[in-house]
């Protein structure tokens, strides 16, 4: 089971399960003012195991109430990742007494991976498996999973995007129960070498300067020897059947740091809200957190921004702007473990958070105008050889903007999220200092304002 934690690393702003293992967010949907967050969960150990869907609800995406496990493995297998919709018009016929069914779509992972659905009439608490499962059988592809269902504005009805090894497959349905394949996207040249596995695809429209642009988000397992896990995105169009990448749209990293994977966006919200698993799968099971293992990123609102390097996705943490804007000038000491720094600067500049044990994390903008983070000296706790791999210690990615910058850093006990240039570049990382960071140092022409959250 779990080893005791060297100290309490549970974050205050980031979602964690009450205990045991958590990975991907699932079934993100807003229903009657309630935000649902289901998640990949193994309730009997702090490492990955046969997957269930854990469940929590919130009215503001910050304060979460835990609910009983929503989906258990069944005769078709474990319950892998997926999505949820509220069937307002009852096209599925699964509603009762005027109650719209809340429908979850997941991958049944047994001998093969197939797509299944289950519905709920009690606000997403308990579910009934659909008797016609699987709704999409396996097309002879080993990795065929993570169905994301969305309203289809071109054909009407619904589309489902499913990852299928080195591509994504798209399906259409009018009643959410019978699905017909309409197209494929991929493989793409950047991910064409053998061994890439696509996971958790998401596809949604955003408007930029009055023009609708579709964004495809993918989490990707990179093949050996380089290996690694990254979430990427493309911009393009959706013709109702498949996604067409814009010719001038390079593949972009969604999050330039190590710890943001398998994310997805909400059904039913006005803003496009994204939550991801805040972890890097190669060491996710080895973090020194004791009774629980795994946390989510902060919920972020996605928009598109025109930058000197083209249209880019921008992420902003939900509901924190007022607090970030009303910080006070930072001194040299930190008095809490959950705080935000708003750093403004021009040219190269960096911030160091450190403690008396000689542990420190450094981040900022470097001489080459890249956002960077260096966590190579962030902890003396040697809890995982994988975490200590040199390539997982130092991250940098070029800004899309030049000149003055504003960088928001949100620190939450064991998490550091960085957002620069209105969130067109951002990075998420897990940090496990053996003692809290107590001091701030900085270099360069910068100003720092501090907000203590608690
Ligand atoms: C991504 C993933 C998904 C899968 C789930 C299993 O982290 O591998 O592709 O559905 O986790 O827990």
């Amino acid at each position: 089971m779990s080893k005791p934690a060297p100290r309490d690393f549970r974050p205050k702003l980031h979602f964690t399960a009450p205990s045991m293992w958590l990975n991907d967010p699932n079934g993100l949907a807003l229903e009657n003012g309630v935000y649902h967050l289901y998640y990949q969960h193994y309730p009997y150990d702090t490492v990955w195991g046969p997957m269930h869907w854990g469940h929590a609800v919130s009215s503001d995406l910050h304060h979460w109430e835990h609910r009983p496990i929503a989906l258990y493995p069944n005769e078709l297998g474990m319950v892998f990742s997926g999505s949820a919709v509220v069937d307002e018009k009852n096209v599925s016929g699964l509603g009762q007494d005027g109650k719209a069914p809340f429908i979850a779509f997941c991958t049944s992972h047994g001998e093969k991976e197939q797509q299944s659905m289950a519905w709920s009439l009690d606000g997403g608490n308990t579910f009934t498996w659909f008797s016609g499962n699987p709704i999409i059988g396996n097309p002879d592809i080993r990795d065929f999973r993570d169905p994301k269902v969305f309203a289809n504005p071109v054909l009407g009805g619904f589309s489902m995007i499913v990852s299928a090894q080195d591509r994504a497959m798209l399906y259409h349905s009018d009643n959410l129960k019978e699905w017909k394949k309409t197209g494929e996207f991929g493989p793409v040249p950047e991910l064409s070498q053998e061994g890439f596995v696509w996971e958790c695809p998401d596809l949604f429209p955003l408007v930029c300067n009055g023009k609708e642009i579709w964004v495809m988000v993918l989490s990707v397992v990179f093949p050996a020897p380089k290996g690694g896990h990254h979430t990427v995105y493309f911009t393009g169009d959706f013709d109702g059947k498949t996604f067409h990448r814009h010719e001038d749209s390079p593949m972009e990293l969604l999050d330039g740091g190590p710890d943001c994977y398998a994310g997805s966006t909400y059904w039913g919200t006005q803003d496009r809200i994204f939550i991801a698993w805040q972890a890097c799968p190669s060491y996710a099971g080895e973090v020194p957190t004791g009774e629980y293992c795994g946390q989510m990123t902060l919920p972020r609102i996605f928009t598109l921004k025109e930058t000197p390097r083209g249209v880019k996705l921008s992420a902003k943490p939900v509901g924190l702007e007022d607090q970030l804007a009303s910080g006070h000038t930072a001194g040299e000491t930190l008095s809490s473990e959950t705080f935000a720094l708003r750093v403004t600067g021009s040219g190269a500049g960096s911030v160091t958070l450190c403690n008396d044990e000689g542990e420190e994390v450094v981040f900022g903008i470097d001489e080459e105008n890249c956002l960077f983070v260096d966590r190579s000296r962030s902890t003396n706790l040697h809890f995982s050889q994988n975490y200590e791999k040199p390539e997982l210690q130092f991250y940098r990615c070029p800004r899309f903007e030049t000149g003055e910058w504003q960088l928001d850093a949100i620190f939450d006990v064991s998490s550091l999220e960085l957002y620069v240039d209105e969130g067109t570049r951002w990075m998420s990382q897990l940090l496990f200092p053996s003692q809290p960071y107590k001091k701030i140092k900085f270099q360069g022409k910068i100003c720092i304002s501090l907000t203590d959250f608690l």
Side-chain angles (χ1 to χ4, degrees), residues 327-366:
H328 57 85
T329 306
E332 278 184 2
T333 48
L334 289 164
S335 55
S336 102
E337 280 192 274
T338 300
F339 58 89
L341 302 176
R342 176 159 278 184
V343 190
T344 46
S346 60
S350 69
V351 178
T352 302
L353 308 178
C354 52
N355 63 17
D356 294 337
E357 317 300 310
E359 298 163 341
E360 62 178 28
V361 59
V362 189
F363 58 87
I365 303 298
D366 70 12

Side-chain angles (χ1 to χ4, degrees), residues 23-24 40 48 51 80-81 145-146 199-200 261-262 277 281:
N23 58 295
D24 317 355
Q40 291 284 279
W48 192 91
M51 284 290 118
F80 270 20
S81 286
R145 55 178 179 264
D146 308 336
E199 300 185 304
C200 300
Y261 197 68
W277 177 29

Side-chain angles (χ1 to χ4, degrees), residues 213-215 233-237 243-246 249 304 311:
I213 295 179
W214 283 73
V215 181
Y233 71 91
F234 303 96
T235 53
D237 299 310
F243 172 76
H244 302 278
R245 173 182 178 180
H246 287 160
S249 148
L304 287 175
V311 171

Side-chain angles (χ1 to χ4, degrees), residues 242-261:
T242 193
F243 172 76
H244 302 278
R245 173 182 178 180
H246 287 160
E247 269 171 27
D248 58 354
S249 148
M251 181 174 90
E252 290 291 357
L253 273 184
L254 185 94
D255 181 306
D259 296 302
C260 176
Y261 197 68

Side-chain angles (χ1 to χ4, degrees), residues 191-428:
L191 305 171
S192 64
Q193 181 198 331
E194 214 179 299
F196 282 100
V197 180
W198 293 19
E199 300 185 304
C200 300
D202 196 359
L203 183 57
F204 49 84
L206 289 172
V207 174
C208 184
N209 296 334
K211 205 175 138 223
E212 183 181 82
I213 295 179
W214 283 73
V215 181
M216 173 165 298
V217 173
L218 299 171
S219 293
V220 184
V221 185
F222 281 59
K226 201 157 177 261
H229 296 78
H230 298 284
T231 303
V232 299
Y233 71 91
F234 303 96
T235 53
D237 299 310
F238 177 60
D239 63 6
K241 295 181 175 170
T242 193
F243 172 76
H244 302 278
R245 173 182 178 180
H246 287 160
E247 269 171 27
D248 58 354
S249 148
M251 181 174 90
E252 290 291 357
L253 273 184
L254 185 94
D255 181 306
D259 296 302
C260 176
Y261 197 68
S264 193
T265 61
Y266 266 86
W267 165 273
T269 50
Q270 263 205 325
D271 290 325
R272 183 58 54 180
I273 299 173
F274 174 86
I275 297 183
W277 177 29
Q278 188 165 53
C280 171
S282 60
Y283 54 74
E286 297 166 358
V287 295
T289 51
E291 59 176 3
Y292 75 97
C293 187
Q295 62 200 51
M296 297 300 175
T297 62
L298 291 175
R300 293 144 174 182
I301 297 178
F302 277 171
T303 51
L304 287 175
K305 293 254 179 315
E306 191 85 54
T307 76
R309 307 253 310 275
V311 171
K312 304 295 172 196
L313 200 55
S314 139
K316 223 176 209 176
V318 173
L320 300 182
E321 181 53 34
D322 288 353
Q323 283 158 287
L324 286 170
S326 60
H328 57 85
T329 306
E332 278 184 2
T333 48
L334 289 164
S335 55
S336 102
E337 280 192 274
T338 300
F339 58 89
L341 302 176
R342 176 159 278 184
V343 190
T344 46
S346 60
S350 69
V351 178
T352 302
L353 308 178
C354 52
N355 63 17
D356 294 337
E357 317 300 310
E359 298 163 341
E360 62 178 28
V361 59
V362 189
F363 58 87
I365 303 298
D366 70 12
E367 299 289 347
E368 282 153 34
N369 199 30
C370 291
L371 172 66
F372 78 92
V373 64
D374 177 358
R375 63 173 180 180
S376 58
R377 295 173 303 284
S378 63
T379 179
N380 293 330
L381 300 171
H382 298 286
F383 55 87
S384 157
Q385 285 182 353
N386 282 329
Y387 183 89
E388 288 181 15
K389 280 189 179 160
E391 67 269 28
L392 298 182
Q393 297 303 311
F394 187 78
Y395 286 81
R396 66 199 284 269
C397 52
R399 293 172 62 201
F400 296 123
E401 308 282 347
T402 50
E404 291 179 5
W405 44 269
Q406 176 175 293
L407 168 60
D408 288 333
I410 300 171
F411 190 90
D412 187 15
V413 188
S414 49
S415 160
L416 174 65
E417 298 192 2
L418 302 174
Y419 303 84
V420 73
D421 299 328
E422 295 190 66
T424 47
R425 278 296 194 198
W426 77 96
M427 286 182 167
S428 304

